[in-house]
Structure formats: C-alpha cells, structure tokens
Amino acid sequence: MEDRLIVSMIQCFFIAFGVIVGGTLIGSIGSYLTGEAPLTAMFRIAKSLRIWAVVAAIGGTFDAISNFEKGILDGSTFDMFKQIVIIVAAMGGVKAALLLFEWLLGEEVT
C-alpha cells in the first residue's frame, strides 16, 4: 500500500508541474499572437493556474471530499492521510514550476 502512495505522490507532483509549465508556455504563445508581452503574461498565467493545477493533479475535488468524509465518518485515517499527502505533493509541483519560471525569467511570481 505504501508503494502505491509514493507512486500517486510522484504522479500528482508532475501532473501539477506539467499543468503550470504547459499552460503558461502555451498561454504566453497566445499572448504573443495577440500582441501582448509574453513574459508579462507568463507571470499572470502562472499565478492564475495554481489552484487548477492542484485540482487537476488530485483528479477533481469530489474524490478528495469523499476521501475526507470516509476518513472522518468511517474512521479510515489512512484515506484521509493519503489525500492530504497527495494534495501537498501537488502543491509541491506547483511551487517547483513557479520556481522554474522565477529562475528563467528573473522575477518573482506571486
């Protein structure tokens, strides 16, 4: 069971990372085509995609809510712990992607 948790953590990390990196790069291409500054748009896009990257990584919010419900009402603490760890891993992927853009572009994404 522990191995499956680690696999899920790694997958969620990279899914969130990929949503931020891919969405920001493709969105900045769209900004370039419309005449906006692509680097400025990268910061705005990366900031707005943060929560959606976490939601995409955990597979939607209803699964998370049902796992929390199962953990609280049924006493299944492992399901609740697993969901918290997966959400933290997804947040780590988002933070890693934002750090990548900060390093590449030389400005802080807040």
Side-chain angles (χ1 to χ4, degrees):
M1 191 63 95
E2 182 179 310
D3 293 335
R4 185 68 191 147
L5 176 61
I6 293 172
V7 169
S8 295
M9 285 175 51
I10 292 170
Q11 287 177 344
C12 285
F13 178 90
F14 283 104
I15 289 170
F17 184 87
V19 167
I20 295 290
V21 172
T24 301
L25 291 176
I26 299 298
S28 66
I29 292 171
S31 296
Y32 174 74
L33 293 175
T34 60
E36 297 178 27
L39 296 180
T40 305
M42 282 180 137
F43 294 118
R44 181 181 45 81
I45 293 168
K47 183 179 177 182
S48 66
L49 284 179
R50 288 185 295 191
I51 189 67
W52 296 111
V54 173
V55 170
I58 64 173
T61 57
F62 294 114
D63 291 338
I65 292 171
S66 68
N67 282 339
F68 281 124
E69 178 186 13
K70 196 184 314 180
I72 293 171
L73 298 179
D74 295 341
S76 177
T77 56
F78 182 72
D79 289 332
M80 197 163 68
F81 171 74
K82 180 180 174 184
Q83 199 63 40
I84 290 170
V85 168
I86 287 173
I87 291 171
V88 169
M91 291 175 145
V94 169
K95 185 63 177 175
L98 292 177
L99 281 173
L100 175 71
F101 282 115
E102 286 178 14
W103 290 340
L104 290 176
L105 302 174
E107 294 184 31
E108 186 174 341
V109 180
T110 55

